[in-house]
């Protein structure tokens, strides 16, 4: 069962402005990555469950977060159907992120008051997601659409909260472009948790990179 309500999760997304994305089937590596992000100031983690037995790793990772990392909000990405969403919610997922808009996932998550963020690419999809109770829409793949698309959406729908994923990097220029366009938060994967960091197990660098990224988000929002 989720430890945080969907409104609490949405609020933390808005406050921190950044959700790190990560997947590994190595539990110890995943724990160290999660702890480095937490120490760097991140309070959300989207575990992009794309591998075999990913649910087993997520379950253990969530237990670790509850015990050792107070306030860390664990969520799951790359969820493709309601059955998968239900499985991860039973393992403690506080939010569900999907690559596409699926109404069966919306129903499953809404029943348990768990935040869900569907990948949308048109104004029609975004409007439908909001009709289904979505708090924060995922713009995916973000690099295909870009900040100009966000600006276009916010014109007729200033109430829409958008989180681009893909094409987001921890640089001032990139983040300023997104936040100036009106995004609520951003999702960052390999641009933040790089292959080099994972290969070298350089958790100290990751912690500092997360701190820097959060500071940049705060600066460009002013």
């Amino acid at each position: 069962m989720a430890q945080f309500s969907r409104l609490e999760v949405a609020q933390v997304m808005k406050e921190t402005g950044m959700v790190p994305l990560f997947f590994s089937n190595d539990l110890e590596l995943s724990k160290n990555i999660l702890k480095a992000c937490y120490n760097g100031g991140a309070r959300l983690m989207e575990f992009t469950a794309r591998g075999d037995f990913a649910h087993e790793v997520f379950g253990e990772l969530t237990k670790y977060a509850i015990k050792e990392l107070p306030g860390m909000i664990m969520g799951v990405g790359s969820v493709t159907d309601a059955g998968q969403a239900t499985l991860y919610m039973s393992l403690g997922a506080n939010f569900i992120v999907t690559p596409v808009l699926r109404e069966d996932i919306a129903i499953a998550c809404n029943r348990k008051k768990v935040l869900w963020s569907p990948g949308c690419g048109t104004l029609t999809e975004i409007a439908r997601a909001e009709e289904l109770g979505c708090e924060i829409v995922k713009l995916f793949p973000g690099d295909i659409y870009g900040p100009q698309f966000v600006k276009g959406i916010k014109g007729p729908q200033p109430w829409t909260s958008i989180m681009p994923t893909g094409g987001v990097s921890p640089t001032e220029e990139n983040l300023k472009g997104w936040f100036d366009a009106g995004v609520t938060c951003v999702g960052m994967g390999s641009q933040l948790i790089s292959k080099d960091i994972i290969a070298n197990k350089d958790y100290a660098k990751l912690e500092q990179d997360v701190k820097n990224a959060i500071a940049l988000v705060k600066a460009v929002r002013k």
Side-chain angles (χ1 to χ4, degrees):
M1 184 178 290
Q3 302 287 307
F4 301 87
S5 74
R6 61 183 171 189
L7 294 179
E8 288 173 325
V9 175
Q11 188 59 36
V12 174
M13 285 182 173
K14 291 172 184 176
E15 287 172 357
T16 61
M18 185 188 79
V19 181
L21 286 66
F22 171 74
F23 173 73
S24 172
N25 55 16
D26 183 326
L27 177 58
E28 289 308 311
L29 174 69
S30 298
K31 284 181 179 178
N32 284 314
I33 292 289
L34 181 62
K35 190 172 191 302
C37 289
Y38 181 84
N39 289 343
R43 287 299 177 266
L44 302 124
M45 169 63 77
E46 179 188 323
F47 187 75
T48 51
R50 295 176 181 171
D52 292 338
F53 307 107
H55 66 286
E56 295 181 2
V57 178
F58 178 77
E60 292 303 313
L61 203 56
T62 299
K63 290 176 190 175
Y64 169 73
I66 291 170
K67 185 178 179 182
E68 303 291 341
L69 309 174
M72 191 65 176
I73 301 173
M74 298 296 295
V76 180
S78 301
V79 175
T80 56
D81 56 56
Q84 193 181 18
T86 300
L87 170 63
Y88 280 105
M89 285 189 287
S90 73
L91 293 170
N94 296 284
F95 62 96
I96 299 291
V97 182
T98 71
V100 295
L101 172 60
R102 285 188 57 112
E103 298 195 8
D104 61 334
I105 294 176
I107 292 166
C109 291
N110 286 340
R111 272 194 78 234
K112 297 184 177 178
K113 298 188 178 179
V114 169
L115 183 140
W116 60 283
S117 184
C120 296
T122 67
L123 183 53
T124 299
E125 285 184 339
I126 290 170
R128 183 58 184 147
E130 291 176 327
E131 289 167 359
L132 291 166
C134 177
E135 298 286 342
I136 297 176
V137 174
K138 173 183 177 180
L139 179 63
F140 180 78
D143 52 351
I144 300 297
Y145 297 98
Q148 199 62 35
F149 181 85
V150 175
K151 197 176 289 185
I153 295 299
K154 297 286 281 189
Q157 295 198 173
W159 57 81
T160 295
S161 295
I162 298 174
M163 173 178 67
T165 300
V168 180
S169 59
T171 66
E172 183 175 0
E173 181 183 11
N174 184 276
L175 291 173
K176 183 172 172 53
W178 285 114
F179 282 97
D180 281 355
V183 302
T184 295
C185 62
V186 296
M188 264 194 272
S190 59
Q191 296 290 330
L192 180 67
I193 307 172
S194 67
K195 290 180 179 178
D196 285 345
I197 284 174
I198 294 169
N200 298 324
K201 297 183 178 180
D202 195 347
Y203 307 122
K205 181 180 187 325
L206 176 58
E207 179 180 334
Q208 188 58 52
D209 287 352
V210 170
K211 280 181 183 176
N212 293 344
I214 290 174
L216 273 175
V217 167
K218 187 176 181 180
V220 299
R221 274 178 158 176
K222 290 180 179 178

